């Protein structure tokens, strides 16, 4: 696994990197573009960026990016943290422990840097299918929207979340919504939808409650404030997850 700062690359090299990364996104998001990836994860307002690459000889087989962007709102000073991950299916186990450890560890590092600079870090993003939101809900009980389909957020937290979304051009489709349209297209077949809805996890049902048209470009908008107690709970959970994983075949 190769870890580095993509912001240290020149513009031409960053665009080439974005193009290489996009090839891994296309199987999952058929309409993904290099330009969109470049605009979201290599723009000039990013304060810190780290990327982990998985490679098989010279072929890229996986990547993760974690970025931090400062933002000042009437409610105070914030840090927007975003992340994206993709991996070729045929390399789902190779290097998995180090690769899976990178994301949560780097997230904690960047969030602690934000606290040290007196900014409130928020992890903000989109979930085009239920998987991302469901996995994050396991780590973050305070995630917005709440996983319980009947729960709601406080007015103050909702207002901050919406302001953060607007700053990165991800405003919800209407004032009460937790979703937006024209997001990354992630196809969901009727059989797959039925299979998901047969599962017991509340987060799955919350996802489809907020995104009844998921699979056509409607995506869930999620966010979680990375308070110090929230951060303290991440690494033990990740350690337990890794300990439960079966070792990769020799």
């Amino acid at each position: 696994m190769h870890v580095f700062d993509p912001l240290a690359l020149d513009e031409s090299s960053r665009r080439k990197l974005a193009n290489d990364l996009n090839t891994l996104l296309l199987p999952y998001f058929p309409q993904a573009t290099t330009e969109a990836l470049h605009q979201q994860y290599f723009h000039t307002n990013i304060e810190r960026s780290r990327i982990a690459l998985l490679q098989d000889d010279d072929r890229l087989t996986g990547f993760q990016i974690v970025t931090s962007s400062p933002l000042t709102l009437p409610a105070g000073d914030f840090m927007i943290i975003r992340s994206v991950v993709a991996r070729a299916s045929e390399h789902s186990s190779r290097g998995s422990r180090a690769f899976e450890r990178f994301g949560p560890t780097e997230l904690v590092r960047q969030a602690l840097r934000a606290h040290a600079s007196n900014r409130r870090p928020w992890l903000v993003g989109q979930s085009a299918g239920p998987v991302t939101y469901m996995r994050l809900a396991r780590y973050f009980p305070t995630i917005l929207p709440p996983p319980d389909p009947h729960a709601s957020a406080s007015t103050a937290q909702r207002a901050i979340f919406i302001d953060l979304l607007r700053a990165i051009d991800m405003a919800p489709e209407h004032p009460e919504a937790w979703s937006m349209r024209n997001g990354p297209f992630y196809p969901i077949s009727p059989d797959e939808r039925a299979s998901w809805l047969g599962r017991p996890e509340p987060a799955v049902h919350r996802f489809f409650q907020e995104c009844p048209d998921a699979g056509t470009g409607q995506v869930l908008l999620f966010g979680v404030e990375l308070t110090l107690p929230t951060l303290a709970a991440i690494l033990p959970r990740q350690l337990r997850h890794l300990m439960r994983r079966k070792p990769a075949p020799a």
Side-chain angles (χ1 to χ4, degrees):
M1 187 176 72
H2 178 42
V3 179
F4 63 97
D5 176 7
L7 299 181
L9 302 174
D10 59 39
E11 180 69 10
S12 175
S13 298
R14 284 200 302 272
R15 288 194 173 275
K16 181 183 182 305
L17 175 62
N19 183 67
D20 292 342
L21 302 182
N22 198 59
T23 61
L24 288 182
L25 290 175
L26 285 171
Y28 306 100
F29 301 98
Q31 298 177 3
T33 66
T34 297
E35 187 60 30
L37 187 66
H38 189 272
Q39 289 177 354
Q40 292 175 14
Y41 293 98
F42 299 101
H43 60 79
T44 56
N45 292 332
I46 292 175
E47 181 176 279
R48 180 175 174 82
S49 180
R50 299 289 285 175
I51 184 169
L53 301 182
L54 281 179
Q55 294 174 302
D56 184 3
D57 294 326
D58 292 331
R59 189 168 77 89
L60 181 67
T61 60
F63 76 91
Q64 290 192 68
I65 306 174
V66 183
T67 67
S68 300
S69 304
L71 177 68
T72 297
L73 299 172
D77 295 327
F78 294 85
M79 188 72 76
I80 297 177
I81 298 180
R82 301 185 69 183
S83 180
V84 60
V85 56
R87 183 166 47 183
S89 59
E90 68 269 26
H91 293 271
S92 59
S93 62
R94 187 174 301 176
S96 61
R97 288 182 180 270
F99 191 71
E100 291 183 16
R101 191 165 53 242
F102 167 80
T105 303
E106 184 60 28
L107 179 69
V108 170
R109 285 197 185 106
Q110 294 194 26
L112 289 176
R113 285 170 62 94
H115 280 291
S117 62
N118 294 317
R119 290 186 176 273
R120 293 165 62 181
W122 276 70
L123 175 66
V124 177
Q126 303 170 331
S127 189
V131 174
T132 298
Y133 175 65
M134 180 183 70
R135 287 178 177 173
L136 287 172
R138 292 172 181 166
Y139 278 98
F140 304 115
T142 57
I143 196 171
L144 301 179
D148 182 347
H150 305 291
S152 59
S154 72
T155 301
Q157 273 209 317
R158 166 80 182 186
I160 290 172
F161 178 54
I162 297 302
D163 283 345
L164 294 173
L165 289 173
R166 287 176 177 153
I168 53 177
D169 297 322
M170 289 192 342
E173 55 200 86
H174 61 78
E176 292 78 31
W178 294 96
S179 62
M180 67 175 285
R181 298 184 186 271
N182 301 318
F185 177 76
Y186 176 78
I188 300 175
S189 70
D191 287 346
E192 184 181 2
R193 179 187 294 265
S195 177
W196 276 112
L197 290 173
R199 295 178 61 138
E201 294 94 337
V204 173
H205 295 273
R206 181 65 182 230
F207 174 85
F208 284 105
Q209 173 182 293
E210 302 299 335
C211 297
D213 296 325
T216 65
Q218 186 181 30
V219 299
L220 184 73
L221 301 171
F222 66 81
V224 56
E225 183 171 5
L226 300 173
T227 63
L228 291 174
T230 298
L231 293 172
I234 294 177
L235 292 181
R237 288 174 183 162
Q238 179 68 1
L239 178 61
R240 288 195 297 270
H241 170 70
L242 292 174
M243 291 292 289
R244 287 196 299 267
R245 286 183 60 90
K246 294 180 181 180

